[in-house]
Each structure stands twice: as C-alpha cells, then as structure tokens.
Amino acid sequence: MNTIHKKYYIMRRIIKLLSLLLIIACSGCVKDVNPSDAITTANLTTTSAGLTDALNGAYALLKDHIEFAGSTDDNNMYLRQYFECSDFASDDIVCGQTTTDPLFYSFSLDHTATQPNTRYFWYVSYKIINDANTVISAMEANPSSDPTTQQLLGECYFLRAFAHFNLAKFFAMPYTESPSGAGIILRTSVTDPASKARATVAEVYQSVIADAVKGASLMNASRGVTYATKEAAWALLSRAYLYEGNNDSTIYYSNQVINSGKFALTTAATYPSLFANAASGSETILCVAFTTLDDYGKFGSIASMIYSDGNSGWGEEYASPSLRDTMSAHPEDVRWSYIVPDTVNGVLQTKNGIEMYYISKFSYQGGSPTLSSPILFRLAEMYLNRAEAEAKAGQGAAALDDVDMIRKNRGLQASLYNEVVPGGYTALDLVLKERRIELAFEGHRTFDVYRNKLSMNRTYWGYHLPGLQASDINLAVNPTGYANMIIQPTDPRIIYYIPIDEINTNPLCTQNP
C-alpha cells in the first residue's frame, strides 16, 4: 500500500469507527426493532401436525422475505445473505460496478454495524434458533418415543446447530485463529435472558457439535433431502470439526456420510445438471426447497446478481479472473459449465474493464434463470473435508485419492494425481485448490482461506479496490500496493460487525474491533 492510499485507508477506518460510536451512543439514529432474541412462537400445540407446522415455519425462514425493521425488503433473505456475505468477500467473484446494494460491503470490506444485510441475517438467524428452541421446549415437556416425533426433535437440534455455526463464521474470528476469542451469543433455551454476553468461539463450537450429535441420534425417520437428516447432521459435524482443526473427527464423520450408501458423486455427464435439480441430485445431502412460488426473479433471488440471460437478473458480479486462471489448465473440466461467458456475436463482453463471466449455479430449476434449490451439504464436500483432514494428518496419498475421486468424475480422468504430489506443491495445496474449484460460489471459499491462516489474494481489477478505476491500476509494477488486494487472516475486516440492534438492546454484547 503506498503512502497516499495507506493514509486514506487509515482515515477511512477512523471515520467509520467514530461514526459507529456515535450510532451506539444515539440509538435514535437507527430505526427501533424488536430484539432478535425476543421472538416467540405463540400457542404451539404438541400434536404431530402442530409440531411439524412449527418446524416447517423455521425452515421457511431460510428462504422467505420476512418483515424486519418495520418493512419487507426483497433483498432480505437468509440464503441470499449467506452466500453473498461469504462469496462476495472472496477471490472467486469480482464486482463489476459500484452499487447501493449492501452486498457491496462484502466486496469492499468496508463493514458497518448498521448495514442492512448483516442486520437481517443476525435477526433471522436468531428467529430460526428461537423457533427451534420453542419446539424443543414443547417436545421435551411432553416426551415421546414415536419415531416421527423424535425425527422432528432431531431436526430442531440440527437447525439450532446450523444457525449458531453460520453466525460464528460471519461474526467471529476462525477457531484456528482464536478459540478463546469472542464468538456469538448462544441461545439454547426459551428462558435465556435478553441480555447475555458472547460465548467464546470454542464454546460455540462445543454447543454446535453437541446439538448436531444429539440431532443425529434422534433422526431415524427421514423426510428427505429438503429437511435435516441423520446424514445432514453428520455432514455438519464433518464441516465443524474441519473448521475446528480436529482431523480424526472430520475423517470419522465424513466416512459416516460417504459410507452410508445413500449418496453417489455425480459424473461428468450428470454434474452439469446437479444444481438445477438439487432435490433429486445423487450427491445432495441437504438442500432448501424452492418452488415456482419462491422464484424471486430479478429482485431478491440468489441468482439475480451473478447471472443474466439478457432478460433476467442484474448480472453485475462475475467469476473472477483469479478463479478462471486456477481452472484454465483444463478446459475439459465440466465445472466450467457453471461459468458462462457473456458474448455478442462471439465477442466476450466487458463492464468497466471487467470480463463478464456469469455464474449459473443458482439458475435453471424448471428452466427459470433465477430459480434453484440451494444445496447446503453435498457428497463432494465430504470427500474434500476428508482429504483436507488427511493431508493435515500426514496421509498425503489418501488425500490425493479423495481428490482424484472428484477429478475423475469431472472429466479429468487423464489428469489424476495417482498419489504423486507435483514438485513445488504439498498435498494440502492440491486439496485446497480442488476445494476452490469444486465448491466455488457455494459459500466456502473465504472460510477455507482464513481458517487455514492463508491470505486472500485479490490482485486483479474490480470494485473491491476503493476509489480506483481500471486505468489507475498497474499490477505489473505494483501488484500488492492497493488496499483490499491482499487480505491477511488476522485482519479484523474478515468478519462483520455485530449488528447495531443487538448492541443497542443487549448491554452485555461487545462489538468486534
């Protein structure tokens, strides 16, 4: 960073922090909202039908646009925020222009405690947790050994674990960076006090793992891949233990899913249609079911910002040159099918000097360019979780076998590693490269980079670079001298501020630096 940009960056951070202090001191600056942990579910019945309806309402919160801060915003949807707040801060997606959409905070890393997307995500996450707690309380007050009731109870524990885990990923530093650092507020009972301090990161992980283990033990009457199952709980445990750095447990739970016999990797022939047909996909462990009634079109769909067929979506964000360079050695790789160049008469289009490669992983369910049922867990991740744990445990040959299992099903049969690490690489390097390609745009990349104590390299032109234009950038001369190009894993900007609503209503909740 040169002197001018360094001074600009420091001054901007000071101004932002002063603004934050002013907002906290003067709650009238923010529209009052009900605190997220004051949500209740009234008149919940203990019948199977009533419990099912209540639980299904919690699932619906993952995809519905619900009222927040006195209004309903089409941009506010749990899954839209989940994918944007993770992927848009990564090196896989490049921003093609400035925008007033709060997703821009993820590209710029210029976070605030008042940004609408993270405020909504926090709010709806605790609403999901509260709904799960309410059903758990009702069920445990009237215990039943009925398999259907036990399944519903297990799903509640899963949803609580899933919501807490995702909150920790966004609002707390990685476990591998600071297990004793401030995590998020654990809400595990309907009787929790409104004012409650943040648990440590380690305590959050303990709670997530305990809930997922209990959920798995209860779920023996599966309702299908659009609801939580025993295998989905195992998949969550595989992911949580990977993030925690527990190699043995990661391998164990990955094996539980892989060896369950319920899933199979898609092939070079079937992979291109997986995400448009998620509910019936052979490797889908858990997806959120969207129907034609849930097709939010240009306004509010997950696909709207990253894809356009010319008549749908804004299409203002694209697959980054960094990701495309990583994939460039293998044009036969079927994973290119989700990276769609925008061409006119064979000429690739650009916007503000950025090549327009759309992303279609969230498109074409039922033929609609803005509809899909987003996959939250799938079998390929289990192979890659296991491979990463194996590589870290010194089992390089086994790790490369798992990587090759993915590659041979993606059209790369002739380019397998066959347990041989190429010169200049480690087995872990190859696993992380494969994770990047295989799981691109599915909400993994930022967490994969930072929990492994790596830097995020965004050394390419895009609107993640503050106050600059393409003509200002000379990467050959100054490849790392601009703000937001190289992000270190210790940088506090890799996580988001605790939303102002929680700070104002919960005096025990501390703010992120």
Side-chain angles (χ1 to χ4, degrees):
M1 185 184 301
N2 62 33
T3 302
I4 294 175
H5 284 94
K6 185 173 184 179
K7 289 181 178 178
Y8 164 77
Y9 168 71
I10 293 172
M11 183 60 68
R12 187 178 62 176
R13 295 293 288 180
I14 291 172
I15 292 172
K16 181 171 68 176
L17 290 173
L18 288 174
S19 299
L20 174 60
L21 291 172
L22 179 61
I23 290 169
I24 293 172
C26 179
S27 60
C29 298
V30 180
K31 188 170 184 177
D32 290 339
V33 298
N34 292 326
S36 56
D37 33 51
I39 303 167
T40 60
T41 302
N43 302 320
L44 176 68
T45 70
T46 56
T47 65
S48 179
L51 294 170
T52 301
D53 287 345
L55 180 55
N56 288 350
Y59 282 106
L61 292 172
L62 296 171
K63 65 177 181 176
D64 285 352
H65 297 145
I66 65 171
E67 182 176 324
F68 171 68
S71 64
T72 302
D73 186 335
D74 288 339
N75 288 330
N76 280 340
M77 187 246 288
Y78 179 96
L79 286 177
R80 189 177 194 263
Q81 265 62 295
Y82 175 77
F83 289 111
E84 288 179 354
C85 287
S86 52
D87 284 326
F88 286 13
S90 78
D91 52 357
D92 284 349
I93 299 180
V94 61
C95 188
Q97 63 183 50
T98 57
T99 174
T100 57
D101 191 305
L103 63 85
F104 192 68
Y105 293 116
S106 295
F107 283 114
S108 67
L109 304 182
D110 194 22
H111 312 310
T112 74
T114 58
Q115 62 189 76
N117 54 350
T118 52
R119 289 176 64 206
Y120 180 84
F121 187 85
W122 182 276
Y123 172 82
V124 76
S125 293
Y126 281 107
K127 189 169 176 63
I128 292 168
I129 291 166
N130 187 79
D131 285 1
N133 284 339
T134 303
V135 179
I136 289 171
S137 178
M139 288 183 171
E140 294 187 340
N142 298 276
S144 170
S145 60
D146 171 63
T148 299
T149 303
Q150 292 281 291
Q151 171 71 30
L152 296 176
L153 181 59
E155 291 179 34
C156 287
Y157 278 105
F158 172 88
L159 283 175
R160 189 169 77 183
F162 181 71
H164 275 140
F165 184 53
N166 291 337
L167 283 165
K169 290 193 298 183
F170 282 130
F171 297 100
M173 295 297 282
Y175 186 102
T176 51
E177 188 65 41
S178 181
S180 62
I184 48 92
I185 300 166
L186 283 174
R187 298 288 181 188
T188 56
S189 171
V190 292
T191 61
D192 275 359
S195 294
K196 190 175 183 182
R198 297 166 69 177
T200 67
V201 172
E203 289 168 341
V204 174
Y205 273 71
Q206 290 167 8
S207 178
V208 166
I209 289 167
D211 277 353
V213 168
K214 185 163 187 176
S217 72
L218 293 167
M219 291 187 283
N220 296 296
S222 171
R223 298 200 283 161
V225 298
T226 57
Y227 300 95
T229 61
K230 181 185 297 291
E231 293 75 26
W234 288 339
L236 175 57
L237 286 163
S238 168
R239 188 183 294 178
Y241 276 122
L242 181 71
Y243 282 35
E244 188 183 69
N246 187 326
N247 297 324
D248 288 345
S249 294
T250 301
I251 293 169
Y252 175 82
Y253 282 107
S254 299
N255 282 335
Q256 290 291 94
V257 179
I258 292 168
N259 297 332
S260 70
K262 295 187 176 182
F263 314 99
L265 288 173
T266 48
T267 65
T270 58
Y271 175 82
S273 62
L274 171 61
F275 294 88
N277 301 279
S280 60
S282 67
E283 64 178 78
T284 302
I285 300 168
L286 176 65
C287 67
V288 177
F290 279 61
T291 69
T292 53
L293 295 177
D294 304 310
D295 189 346
Y296 298 127
K298 184 175 183 178
F299 299 97
S301 72
I302 297 171
S304 64
M305 301 307 297
I306 58 176
Y307 183 76
S308 177
D309 65 355
N311 298 303
S312 66
W314 300 103
E316 295 175 346
E317 282 70 48
Y318 316 107
S320 72
S322 174
L323 175 62
R324 292 185 282 109
D325 287 347
T326 301
M327 299 176 65
S328 62
H330 295 288
E332 75 277 19
D333 191 330
V334 295
R335 291 171 291 196
W336 278 106
S337 62
Y338 292 108
I339 298 177
V340 184
D342 181 26
T343 60
V344 175
N345 297 323
V347 178
L348 178 65
Q349 300 301 289
T350 62
K351 176 177 284 188
N352 298 321
I354 298 169
E355 294 178 323
M356 298 170 65
Y357 284 87
Y358 291 130
I359 300 158
S360 65
K361 266 192 174 178
F362 299 98
S363 299
Y364 288 116
Q365 177 178 313
S368 169
T370 52
L371 183 62
S372 72
S373 292
I375 297 175
L376 302 181
F377 295 93
R378 61 186 179 96
L379 187 61
E381 184 200 346
M382 298 300 103
Y383 277 98
L384 292 168
N385 288 356
R386 185 171 73 178
E388 183 174 334
E390 289 165 339
K392 291 175 177 176
Q395 303 169 30
L400 291 184
D401 283 343
D402 280 336
V403 169
D404 278 351
M405 180 63 73
I406 302 294
R407 291 171 69 81
K408 72 181 183 181
N409 283 285
R410 304 298 181 248
L412 300 175
Q413 185 72 45
S415 303
L416 303 182
Y417 294 114
N418 295 312
E419 301 186 355
V420 177
V421 179
Y425 293 90
T426 66
L428 181 59
D429 291 336
L430 301 178
V431 171
L432 294 179
K433 178 180 179 181
E434 203 65 30
R435 283 185 71 91
R436 184 180 186 187
I437 297 171
E438 175 67 23
L439 303 176
F441 321 124
E442 297 177 49
H444 296 273
R445 178 61 178 168
T446 53
F447 310 116
D448 286 352
V449 170
Y450 297 131
R451 66 182 164 75
N452 279 294
K453 299 182 180 292
L454 300 173
S455 301
M456 186 73 71
N457 187 340
R458 301 197 292 176
T459 307
Y460 47 82
W461 161 237
Y463 281 87
H464 57 288
L465 304 176
L468 302 176
Q469 299 178 1
S471 58
D472 297 325
I473 307 299
N474 188 337
L475 300 184
V477 173
N478 193 11
T480 61
Y482 302 101
N484 289 351
M485 279 195 168
I486 306 293
I487 312 301
Q488 301 300 328
T490 55
D491 193 320
R493 296 181 302 159
I494 71 171
I495 60 174
Y496 295 91
Y497 285 118
I498 303 297
I500 193 67
D501 315 295
E502 192 70 48
I503 297 296
N504 281 346
T505 59
N506 179 1
L508 297 181
C509 181
T510 57
Q511 184 56 275
N512 287 325

